[in-house]
């Protein structure tokens, strides 16, 4: 069910953590795509110690970054559970030297920092033979020519009973993660695309989850039977009609990769965050901790920069709603819930004026949000021309606060 906390959250942190964090091969996809054999991929279990796993430290960092919720991969497409599951031997508890449930301390740490707890769960499981029991709907052994040895029976007949068993397995594991650690606020499904809503029994699954926790927020990747949309990697140009969250990697990979140095800069990340905020969505920013559980200092620095920008400008972030159309202002903006304050976000660094068109209200005051410095402005040609000098600007993006005499009224709206 969509919850107000989700709409107000603005920023979440996504964590891809698992045996793949050794950093040589990508999460799950590497064996699926043939970059590494399944056997070699699974050998990564032997090195997975999680020896410096300290989710309390993570949670403190995420809080500092300004996040209000966190989503951790409880099980990726490789099927390796980060939790102690009764229903399979494939877990970090049974198969790795970490030998312990990693979800319990994570849930506690996130809760202790007052953030909402999310868990990612891959519906598909490329390690489970029962998953390979049916073809994607509409496909049959004759016309199914994809070489997908992990996803379907590969020329063999279907076995609907096995598929039923697999669905029950997913349900059983979901009950474990949603009940063994107290209340989980959000379930983040993935890997729904190889089967149809009918095959997944998506409506029944939704009901099943609500039976466990009627307040749980469910992302869209249950073949559309969730509560909100999840555009991925490409920032939306037009905001989705439903509530939404844009998920994006901090560099080019979801999980930690040794040679991925292609980090987005802090300025870029802040701008992308603002873009989501001003279009009415959340950003779910993904990081990939190393196998021992520590976070690369470059990832940490970006989170700290983002957090310091949000801290300096929090009035324009939390408790606001999406801003005015670009035809009024060529930048981002948010509006306070009482609609009496407009916040303009200047992404670039103007040398003199910022212009905003069409405001019909009287202006009480215009100021720089982070410094509270009052700004001079004038009206000309029905536009507000706000002076903003270089030395008044924030090192990342400057927020201009416009106090209005009443609720915002725009010409031509
Ligand atoms: C994709 C990928 C997966 C990743 C996810 C995060 O669906 O399959 O590897 O975890 O995106 O959004």
């Amino acid at each position: 069910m969509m919850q107000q906390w989700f709409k107000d959250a603005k920023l979440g942190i996504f964590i891809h953590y698992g045996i793949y964090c050794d950093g040589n091969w990508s999460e799950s996809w590497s064996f699926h795509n043939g970059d590494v054999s399944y056997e070699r991929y699974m050998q990564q279990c032997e090195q997975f110690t999680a020896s410096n796993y300290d989710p309390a430290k993570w949670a403190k960092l995420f809080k500092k970054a300004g996040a209000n919720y966190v989503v951790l991969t409880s099980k990726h497409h490789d099927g390796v559970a980060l939790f102690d599951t009764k229903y399979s031997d494939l877990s970090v508890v049974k198969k790795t030297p970490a030998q312990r449930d990693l979800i319990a301390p994570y849930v506690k740490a996130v809760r202790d920092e007052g953030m909402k707890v999310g868990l990612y769960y891959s519906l598909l499981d490329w390690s489970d033979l029962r998953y390979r029991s049916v073809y994607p709907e509409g496909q049959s052994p004759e016309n199914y020519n994809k070489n997908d040895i992990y996803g379907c029976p590969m020329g063999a007949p279907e076995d609907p009973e096995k598929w039923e068993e697999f669905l029950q397995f997913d349900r059983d594991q979901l009950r474990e993660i949603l009940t063994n650690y107290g209340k989980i606020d959000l379930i983040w499904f993935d890997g729904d695309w190889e089967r149809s809503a009918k095959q997944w029994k998506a409506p029944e699954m939704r009901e099943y989850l609500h039976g466990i926790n009627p307040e749980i927020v469910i992302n869209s990747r249950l073949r559309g039977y969730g509560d909100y949309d999840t555009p991925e990697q490409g920032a939306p140009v037009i905001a989705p009609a439903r509530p939404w969250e844009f998920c994006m990697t901090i560099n080019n990979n979801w999980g930690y990769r040794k040679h991925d140095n292609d980090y987005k800069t802090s300025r870029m990340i802040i701008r992308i965050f603002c873009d989501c905020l001003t279009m009415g969505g959340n950003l779910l920013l993904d990081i990939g901790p190393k196998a021992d559980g520590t976070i690369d200092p470059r990832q940490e620095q970006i989170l700290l920069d983002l957090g310091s920008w949000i801290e300096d400008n929090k009035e324009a972030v939390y408790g606001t709603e999406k801003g005015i159309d670009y035809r009024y202002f060529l930048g981002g903006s948010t509006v306070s819930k009482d609609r009496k304050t407009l916040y303009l976000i200047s992404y670039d660094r103007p040398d003199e004026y910022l212009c905003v068109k069409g405001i019909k209200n009287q202006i009480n005051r215009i100021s720089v949000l982070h410094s509270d410095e009052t700004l001079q402005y004038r009206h000309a040609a029905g536009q507000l021309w706000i002076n903003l000098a270089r030395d008044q600007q924030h090192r990342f993006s400057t927020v201009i606060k416009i106090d209005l005499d009443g609720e915002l009224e725009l010409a031509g709206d």
Side-chain angles (χ1 to χ4, degrees):
M1 208 170 108
M2 186 31 75
Q3 302 290 338
Q4 192 60 40
W5 74 256
F6 181 84
K7 294 194 195 160
D8 290 338
K10 315 296 186 191
L11 179 68
I13 302 293
F14 203 0
I15 314 161
H16 275 65
Y17 190 46
I19 59 164
Y20 45 83
C21 291
D22 220 15
N24 292 309
W25 299 290
S26 68
E27 76 288 344
S28 310
W29 286 100
S30 50
F31 69 82
H32 181 273
N33 293 342
D35 302 334
V36 60
S37 69
Y38 180 77
E39 292 67 33
R40 180 66 194 89
Y41 179 90
M42 281 299 165
Q43 270 172 24
Q44 295 178 109
C45 285
E46 292 159 25
Q47 270 85 52
F48 188 75
T49 59
S51 53
N52 291 307
Y53 181 61
D54 186 354
K57 207 168 160 192
W58 283 5
K60 284 203 174 67
L61 173 65
F62 303 156
K63 183 79 188 176
K64 250 186 150 175
N68 280 313
Y69 64 108
V70 188
V71 179
L72 170 66
T73 46
S74 70
K75 186 177 102 166
H76 206 263
H77 313 327
D78 59 15
V80 185
L82 258 52
F83 52 100
D84 193 8
T85 173
K86 279 203 297 224
Y87 300 99
S88 159
D89 282 346
L90 197 50
S91 69
V92 296
V93 187
K94 292 185 183 134
K95 292 277 194 236
T96 77
Q99 281 187 328
R100 62 197 193 280
D101 182 303
L102 301 178
I103 298 296
Y106 155 80
V107 172
K108 182 177 183 312
V110 173
R111 262 204 220 111
D112 284 352
E113 288 298 327
M115 296 181 286
K116 299 286 181 187
V117 184
L119 290 173
Y120 166 111
Y121 183 85
S122 171
L123 285 164
L124 71 75
D125 186 329
W126 288 328
S127 284
D128 198 302
L129 294 175
R130 294 167 299 182
Y131 176 69
R132 300 174 206 171
S133 54
V134 294
Y135 290 90
E137 197 182 322
Q139 304 282 340
S140 68
E142 299 80 54
N143 64 14
Y144 198 75
N145 53 15
K146 232 177 86 192
N147 198 22
D148 183 4
I149 55 171
Y150 300 104
C152 73
M154 283 295 288
E158 298 198 314
D159 185 343
E161 263 173 45
K162 275 244 162 58
W163 177 250
E164 265 313 313
E165 273 177 42
F166 179 74
L167 287 182
Q168 190 52 42
F169 167 60
D170 268 1
R171 281 183 218 120
D172 288 338
Q173 283 203 326
L174 282 162
R175 181 171 290 278
E176 289 185 310
I177 58 172
L178 297 180
T179 61
N180 287 351
Y181 313 101
K183 189 175 154 206
I184 301 301
D185 302 292
L186 186 153
I187 184 82
W188 212 100
F189 284 124
D190 195 18
D192 60 343
W193 65 85
E194 289 185 346
R195 302 285 183 268
S196 66
K198 202 166 137 211
Q199 287 175 309
W200 287 120
K201 301 196 169 161
E204 289 94 323
M205 174 66 99
R206 186 176 163 86
E207 248 175 65
Y208 175 77
L209 298 170
H210 284 154
I212 296 174
N213 173 7
E215 289 175 358
I216 197 157
V217 176
I218 308 169
N219 76 337
S220 60
R221 299 186 185 182
L222 180 57
R223 282 302 197 169
Y225 281 84
D227 303 310
Y228 70 90
D229 289 351
T230 55
E232 173 176 320
Q233 295 292 48
V237 176
I238 295 169
R242 297 207 299 169
W244 58 278
E245 166 203 79
F246 171 50
C247 58
M248 180 189 78
T249 53
I250 202 161
N251 47 16
N252 290 328
N253 283 278
W254 296 103
Y256 179 73
R257 296 295 296 278
K258 278 184 189 144
H259 302 294
D260 185 351
N261 297 313
D262 196 13
Y263 282 87
K264 296 168 185 81
T265 66
S266 295
R267 270 177 77 80
M268 288 162 82
I269 300 253
I270 289 164
R271 181 168 177 155
I272 295 162
F273 169 64
C274 290
D275 212 23
C276 296
L277 176 72
T278 59
M279 287 169 70
N282 293 348
L283 173 66
L284 183 66
L285 177 60
D286 178 77
I287 60 154
K290 296 183 188 174
D292 71 346
T294 55
I295 294 175
D296 186 299
R298 289 170 296 181
Q299 304 189 5
E300 187 176 351
Q301 191 53 52
I302 290 170
L303 294 185
L304 291 173
D305 285 343
L306 174 58
S308 82
W309 184 85
I310 292 178
E311 179 58 29
D312 287 347
N313 297 287
K314 54 177 182 278
E315 195 187 307
V317 175
Y318 305 121
T320 61
E321 283 167 2
K322 72 169 185 226
I324 56 178
D325 195 275
Y326 296 118
R327 65 184 188 269
Y328 298 106
F329 176 63
L330 297 172
S333 59
T334 59
V335 182
S336 62
K337 280 208 169 138
D338 67 5
R339 306 204 64 78
K340 289 182 180 164
T341 313
L342 173 64
Y343 302 95
L344 305 179
I345 307 178
S346 167
Y347 298 131
D348 304 312
R349 295 164 181 268
D351 275 327
E352 39 176 23
Y353 299 116
L354 278 181
C355 294
V356 49
K357 279 186 193 167
I359 299 184
K360 296 213 291 193
N361 309 70
Q362 297 291 317
I363 308 292
N364 288 341
R365 181 179 178 235
I366 300 187
S367 57
V368 177
L369 184 59
H370 75 272
S371 63
D372 198 32
E373 213 174 321
T374 300
L375 292 179
Q376 302 304 312
Y377 61 93
R378 57 179 287 208
H379 282 98
Q383 313 197 30
L384 259 183
W385 302 73
I386 305 166
N387 288 86
L388 181 67
R390 280 271 166 148
D391 61 3
Q392 293 172 311
Q393 296 172 25
H394 193 279
R395 75 185 165 116
F396 294 121
S397 285
T398 311
V399 179
I400 312 299
K401 177 178 176 180
I402 307 185
D403 287 307
L404 307 165
D405 66 341
E407 286 186 27
L408 175 66
E409 273 186 78
L410 294 168
D413 198 17

